[in-house]
Amino acid sequence: MRIVVLTKPVPDPAAGAERLGPDNRLDRAASPTVVNGNDEYALEAALQLVEAHGGEVVILTMAPANGTETMRKALAMGAARGIHVTDDALAGADLPTTIRVLAAAAGQEAFDLLLGGLDTSDGAGGAVTAGVAARLGLPLLSTAAHIEPDPAAGRVRVRRLSAKGYDIVEAPMPAVISCTQALGAPRYPSLKGIMAARSRPIAAHSLADLGDGLAPADGAWATRVVAAEPPTARAAGRTVTGSATDAAREIADFLADRRLI
Amino acid sequence: MRLTEEQQLLRDAVRVLADEKIAPRAAEIDRTATWPDDVRRLLASHDIFAIPFEERHGGLGSDLLTLCLAIEQISRVCATSGLILAVQALGAIPIQVAGTVEQQDRWLPGLASGEMLIAFALTEADAGSDPSGIRTRAVRDGDDYVINGTKRFISHGSVADSVVVFAATNPDAEKASRRLSAILVETDRPGFKVTRVEHKMGIRGSPTAELAFDNVRVPVANRLGDEGQGFAIAMKTFERSRPGIAAQAVGIAQGALEVAAAYAKERRQFGKPIAELQMIQSMLADMDAATEAARQLLYAACEAIESGNGDAARWAAICKLVAGDAAMRVTTDAVQVLGGYGYIDEYPVERMMRDAKITQLYEGTQQIQRLIVARSLLAGS
Amino acid sequence: MPALVLAVAEVADGSLTRLSTEAATLARALAEAAGGTALGLVVDAAPAGPAAELAGYLPRVVAVTAAELADQVPAPHVAAEVARLLGEGVTHVVIGATTDGRDIAGTLVGLTGLGLLANADTASWDGDAPVTRSVVLGGRAVTESTLNGGSGIITLRPGGVGASESAVPGAVEPREASTPAVPAAVVLERVAEAGAEVSLEDARVVVVGGRGVGSPEGFAVVEELAALLGGVVGATRASVDAGWVPYARQIGQTGRVVKPALYLGLGVSGAMQHRVGMQGSEVIVAVNRDQDAPIAEVADLFVIGDLFQVAPALATEIRARRGG
């Protein structure tokens, strides 16, 4: 099987150093980057699938030039190769452009499955994977908690999380799947993986390599951020200590005052 | 000291693993004094045991400095766990320096994968700093050696699958340094018995065992190097293993320094964080200086030893000497910075202080290290 | 081109979701501010009932009967209907930011190239375009975003817009389904898991069990309080990773985002990635043994104590006040 996994380098949420630049775009140099959390789950699922069925996992990333650092970690986890789409013209790219570019790059690979994380920690739009599926005219199986391909039959079955539990959803391959954390914790790269990753290939593509008309000609994105500010702090709360019964009484009074009980 | 990209990558990977998977276990390992087989399996599955072995044996083919970087990172959070890697590397060295190609191919892959554990058995009840007291005998009988004797204070002795035993094959040799041979004994051979496991001040999760050999029969093919080469093999081994202990010591010191610095920023007395008090700053600064000096000396020693510098013995001794003393000093001061809280097990520094002491004792006491350094210095070379 | 704002509704168990009514209210408000009109869309195997209800919020509701939705995923079908309406003059689309909603929005962006203002808490009209307000970067920034072109899509988070009905009910326009432009995956089976049925986003009260709960059995005290308070049980990532509760209950950066009237956290430390999912709650009460737990920073009432003592005591106190 060939599985393409969309991965996005994002500011490390643990570092807490994300900042918006003066133009209200994410200052991607301000913070150490890591692979987007949900993408790691997608990648882990892909690695397990090719371990079971044979084949290769290919990482696809659209990122600035330094995006290769986080790609190396994905390669260290076991991906066979990477595709890095990078172009100055893509700085601050909007969602429709990102979708067109990723679809164009993915479309150059003959894949059985295209996996993406459910959403990103730095954008949280959750729309990229769906958009790429639509652009490629492929079925989308979203919010996956379990993936079961049947390569012989050319179909894939997914458990799609629902409000009540999950739905079992099926489509012919090639198909696109957005992945949740329920798929299982990503592996730590082994040291051998880290060493091997240094020699695994990352193919660089510019916009021109992928085709015409992917980005708006005049560089005008579809959306823009007009203002950004830190969130309004909540008013300071009250701390309660003391016995459990005293605390319970205080909580009950507090809730009653606010008509919550 | 500039690390290569590969060294940095491996160091950082081990650091993350240590912080996320080993650190949460450290207090419990110490409190229960239980061998952490889960940590051993973790190190195996992440190829960390593979670091000091050649690629043809399934290793990563990394250098001594890389091994020390890994030991340091693990020891920073758990000295017992750092020792797992250090002892495995130690036990393998006699095979690597004196074994035949066939012996290396037979034994090293199992060690590189972490599937098999190995111990190094030189010390006896009456032979610590002075190896001339070694009484364990290996008597030639046909194509075998029959080994009788007792070894004491053997790290991993009770969990190892094989032990490199230093036994006297020629007790009447003219030169004392020609009495011993190094023989690998698989621990499932009849007559091998673990007779004691020590209760220790520190590194309490690491089993330190007394091993009894009662007519243990091993093939001559298990001997490493020639008869009478045992002492030389042991000395050569220490040149490469002492930096590993120095790395453990540097790691322990670094861990204690980090806890103390973090504590000082949070703990408030006299209306401010104690980190703003000059006496605390002075202590922390000295702790940092001692740790960094030990670290840089260790890295320089690794480079010198790896490059085949003629005075490997001196480099090994000097880095172990400085690092062990630094670890003891830094951890003691860390307890001091934490005050009363440093004395209780709610904070890890008391454990780190107990762990640090062994680095001044094993793989050659600090006094032995000083003799080696002085000898080298005064030889004028 | 006059603004024509479309609210895409979602149907759950045969009824309109609350978020759909919020989206409809927003669509109406934006249309009014823009001097245009609003309309609604219901796509379902049996749309009549939900469409009639949606007509309470919008002057015109297109009700599409799509029998396939009984056993196919909805996004391609709904996207096809929205695309048709875009061709009939719709300029802006408001969709609830749910699992299906995000899929519909993403599919639409892929098909049309329209811009997306994602995860809006609220929106207003400014000049010739909507401006949305959303929380980004794990809660570290609040942004206002707008469309550069004429048209676009907004996904709306629950709880930011208060639903309100129109003065005059609107008309329902039944239609036959279009053919989707992209293939829809087939739903073979819908499995209900005990403990997974939650509507966390719609809940007025959420009681969350964190690492301090310690075990699946420990969740009994969480469930008891949730039942007493008329709320839903939620969890932190620690509880989910430990296997004590299903992922469907996880609140946080990689889980659900809730804004209930009351959030009660038991044994929740309040790591940033969890706070992101609940710090918009109206009232936050937390119980934790650790006085330095970060949840204290957002709690209106922070109780330092053992949840296994405080929670039962609170349950007793609540029952006593209710006279039973």
Side-chain angles (χ1 to χ4, degrees):
Chain A
M1 299 191 66
R2 174 174 295 138
I3 305 182
V4 175
V5 180
L6 302 177
T7 64
K8 183 182 183 189
V10 298
D12 186 352
E18 308 93 323
R19 282 205 326 265
L20 294 178
D23 56 353
N24 290 323
R25 296 209 306 235
L26 184 64
D27 182 354
R28 291 191 182 274
S31 178
T33 56
V34 294
V35 175
N36 174 48
N38 280 332
D39 300 346
E40 285 198 315
Y41 287 85
L43 175 56
E44 174 62 30
L47 291 168
Q48 289 187 21
L49 288 173
V50 305
E51 277 161 14
H53 298 275
E56 64 167 6
V57 174
V58 181
I59 307 295
L60 170 55
T61 301
M62 182 181 107
N66 65 358
T68 47
E69 287 166 33
T70 45
M71 293 183 81
R72 287 283 166 210
K73 184 185 175 194
L75 294 175
M77 283 170 71
R81 58 189 168 88
I83 303 168
H84 182 200
V85 178
T86 184
D87 201 301
D88 287 340
L90 290 173
D94 60 13
L95 181 67
T97 304
T98 304
I99 287 171
R100 283 189 293 263
V101 168
L102 289 174
Q108 291 180 350
E109 296 286 324
F111 58 81
D112 300 287
L113 293 175
L114 176 74
L115 267 46
L118 187 61
D119 56 24
T120 57
S121 57
D122 69 346
V128 170
T129 311
V132 171
R135 186 100 177 138
L136 292 173
L138 295 177
L140 170 73
L141 303 95
S142 75
T143 324
H146 184 73
I147 302 172
E148 213 177 294
D150 183 349
R155 313 184 71 74
V156 63
R157 234 174 239 198
V158 152
R159 284 195 199 176
R160 182 176 187 239
L161 290 177
S162 70
K164 295 200 167 90
Y166 60 90
D167 297 338
I168 300 181
V169 176
E170 186 180 86
M173 299 198 282
V176 176
I177 303 176
S178 72
C179 300
T180 69
Q181 192 188 310
L183 283 165
R187 61 194 67 183
Y188 284 97
S190 70
L191 297 192
K192 285 183 182 168
I194 293 172
M195 302 312 297
R198 291 156 81 222
S199 55
R200 290 197 179 134
I202 296 180
H205 291 310
S206 66
L207 257 186
D209 296 333
L210 296 176
D212 298 324
L214 297 176
D218 48 3
W221 306 122
T223 54
R224 73 177 186 278
V225 178
V226 293
E229 60 196 28
T232 35
R234 286 179 82 96
R238 193 154 57 84
T239 302
V240 169
T241 51
S243 74
T245 21
D246 287 342
R249 208 172 306 122
E250 281 223 47
I251 300 174
D253 286 341
F254 184 85
L255 296 178
D257 283 344
R258 287 156 182 77
R259 301 228 277 254
L260 290 163
I261 52 168
Chain B
M1 170 108 274
R2 291 178 115 240
L3 301 178
T4 66
E5 190 205 327
E6 171 181 325
Q7 287 166 339
Q8 286 179 53
L9 271 177
L10 295 186
R11 176 200 61 191
D12 292 345
V14 174
R15 184 190 184 95
V16 168
L17 193 71
D19 283 344
E20 295 190 13
K21 297 280 191 178
I22 301 178
R25 286 274 288 127
E28 196 192 338
I29 291 170
D30 175 72
R31 191 178 59 244
T32 59
T34 317
W35 162 250
D37 202 60
D38 58 323
V39 176
R40 170 267 185 100
R41 280 182 270 112
L42 188 77
L43 299 180
S45 64
H46 286 81
D47 305 325
I48 291 177
F49 280 121
I51 292 173
F53 296 94
E54 288 174 45
E55 286 181 41
R56 69 190 170 101
H57 295 129
L60 287 174
S62 304
D63 56 18
L64 181 57
L65 176 50
T66 307
L67 172 66
C68 288
L69 290 170
I71 294 172
E72 182 190 339
Q73 289 307 317
I74 302 171
S75 301
R76 195 176 40 86
V77 304
C78 177
T80 292
S81 300
L83 192 59
I84 297 178
L85 177 58
V87 170
Q88 184 84 335
L90 160 68
I93 295 170
I95 306 171
Q96 288 168 322
V97 303
T100 62
V101 170
E102 188 275 329
Q103 287 172 326
Q104 292 177 353
D105 290 347
R106 192 184 348 153
W107 290 316
L108 295 181
L111 301 177
S113 69
E115 231 179 276
M116 312 288 273
L117 292 176
I118 190 166
F120 179 95
L122 177 71
T123 301
E124 296 181 10
D126 289 332
S129 293
D130 177 10
S132 74
I134 285 177
R135 295 282 165 265
T136 299
R137 286 277 278 122
V139 176
R140 184 73 179 257
D141 178 26
D143 288 331
D144 297 329
Y145 285 107
V146 179
I147 301 176
N148 277 284
T150 311
K151 293 292 184 185
R152 189 91 194 259
F153 295 145
I154 306 306
S155 292
H156 292 190
S158 57
V159 296
D161 300 288
S162 58
V163 182
V164 176
V165 179
F166 291 83
T169 40
N170 191 351
D172 303 316
E174 223 180 275
K175 290 171 91 171
S177 61
R178 299 288 308 170
R179 291 174 55 236
L180 304 176
S181 299
I183 302 171
L184 187 142
V185 178
E186 297 90 341
T187 57
D188 57 359
R189 292 197 181 269
F192 171 89
K193 202 157 157 218
V194 176
T195 45
R196 192 186 166 107
V197 176
E198 309 290 351
H199 300 283
K200 305 189 298 298
M201 172 193 278
I203 49 161
R204 284 166 51 78
S206 179
T208 305
E210 179 180 82
L211 308 178
F213 299 81
D214 181 8
N215 288 323
V216 178
R217 185 172 281 272
V218 301
V220 170
N222 277 27
R223 189 190 70 231
L224 299 166
D226 294 332
E227 273 196 16
Q229 269 194 324
F231 184 79
I233 292 171
M235 293 306 109
K236 194 103 188 92
T237 298
F238 292 141
E239 285 171 12
R240 292 191 73 86
S241 67
R242 281 170 178 157
I245 298 308
Q248 182 192 37
V250 171
I252 294 170
Q254 183 65 29
L257 173 63
E258 287 173 11
V259 173
Y263 179 88
K265 289 196 278 192
E266 293 292 326
R267 171 72 172 173
R268 296 182 72 89
Q269 288 286 275
F270 309 111
K272 56 185 157 189
I274 63 173
E276 289 181 26
L277 301 169
Q278 281 197 349
M279 278 200 262
I280 296 291
Q281 290 176 359
S282 172
M283 289 173 71
L284 290 172
D286 284 346
M287 289 158 71
D288 194 9
T291 306
E292 192 68 65
R295 174 182 296 116
Q296 295 302 324
L297 178 57
L298 165 64
Y299 293 179
C302 288
E303 296 278 271
I305 294 165
E306 193 75 76
S307 70
N309 181 301
D311 216 342
R314 175 256 187 184
W315 278 105
I318 208 170
C319 77
K320 196 263 186 191
L321 171 65
V322 169
D325 286 351
M328 201 64 232
R329 184 230 172 121
V330 170
T331 53
T332 307
D333 284 349
V335 172
Q336 194 68 26
V337 168
L338 267 71
Y341 286 100
Y343 203 70
I344 63 178
D345 69 5
E346 193 175 313
Y347 287 87
V349 290
E350 62 81 24
R351 178 188 88 232
M352 291 166 169
M353 182 178 165
R354 288 186 285 107
D355 286 343
K357 187 60 193 171
I358 193 66
T359 66
Q360 294 178 311
L361 301 172
Y362 64 7
E363 294 233 11
T365 60
Q366 301 296 73
Q367 288 65 34
I368 292 295
Q369 309 303 341
R370 287 183 169 93
L371 290 180
I372 295 170
V373 173
R375 185 191 318 141
S376 169
L377 180 67
L378 297 171
S381 51
Chain C
M1 199 161 150
L4 179 55
V5 186
L6 171 69
V8 178
E10 193 167 331
V11 176
D13 288 331
S15 340
L16 208 57
T17 63
R18 186 169 88 176
L19 180 54
S20 304
T21 63
E22 293 168 6
T25 305
L26 179 63
R28 210 173 74 230
L30 289 174
E32 207 172 288
T37 40
L39 78 161
L41 173 66
V42 177
V43 184
D44 194 67
E53 195 186 333
L54 192 62
Y57 296 84
L58 293 162
R60 183 180 153 219
V61 174
V62 172
V64 176
T65 303
E68 297 88 344
L69 287 194
D71 61 2
Q72 288 184 17
V73 296
H77 297 278
V78 179
E81 301 306 331
V82 176
R84 175 157 70 166
L85 289 170
L86 283 166
E88 292 173 9
V90 162
T91 55
H92 300 85
V93 185
V94 180
I95 309 175
T98 60
T99 304
D100 284 334
R102 292 199 181 100
D103 288 350
I104 296 166
T107 303
L108 274 171
V109 175
L111 291 176
T112 64
L114 287 177
L116 172 65
L117 300 171
N119 285 338
D121 286 314
T122 57
S124 55
W125 191 266
D126 184 7
D128 62 351
V131 177
T132 59
R133 217 175 130 80
S134 49
V135 175
V136 297
L137 296 179
R140 274 179 264 278
V142 177
T143 58
E144 291 193 350
S145 308
T146 191
L147 298 166
N148 279 331
S151 297
I153 306 164
I154 296 171
T155 51
L156 179 68
R157 284 245 300 257
V161 173
S164 72
E165 294 183 299
S166 353
V168 179
V172 174
E173 190 188 303
R175 279 196 189 183
E176 293 298 309
S178 329
T179 314
V182 291
V186 170
V187 180
L188 297 177
E189 195 184 334
R190 298 187 198 269
V191 178
E193 279 184 315
E197 165 142 15
V198 283
S199 184
L200 275 170
E201 287 93 345
D202 281 343
R204 191 168 164 271
V205 174
V206 176
V207 183
V208 174
R211 187 188 298 273
V213 173
S215 68
E217 296 75 36
F219 261 84
V221 304
V222 183
E223 282 155 22
E224 185 188 12
L225 273 180
L228 272 176
L229 292 166
V232 168
V233 172
T236 64
R237 180 158 163 184
S239 310
V240 170
D241 279 354
W244 303 332
V245 275
Y247 175 55
R249 300 208 177 248
Q250 180 171 318
I251 292 171
Q253 190 156 66
T254 48
R256 320 283 270 277
V257 176
V258 298
K259 290 212 274 198
L262 170 64
Y263 168 101
L264 172 57
L266 303 175
V268 173
S269 70
M272 177 58 87
Q273 55 90 9
H274 176 68
R275 296 215 306 273
V276 167
M278 47 63 67
Q279 61 195 3
S281 308
E282 277 172 44
V283 173
I284 298 176
V285 177
V287 180
N288 197 303
R289 274 196 307 196
D290 178 9
Q291 66 189 36
D292 295 323
I295 193 96
E297 289 167 34
V298 294
D300 300 303
L301 189 69
F302 179 58
V303 176
I304 303 174
D306 178 353
L307 74 96
F308 289 109
Q309 308 216 323
V310 176
L314 178 60
T316 305
E317 183 69 30
I318 292 173
R319 284 196 192 95
R321 291 183 189 217
R322 287 183 185 161

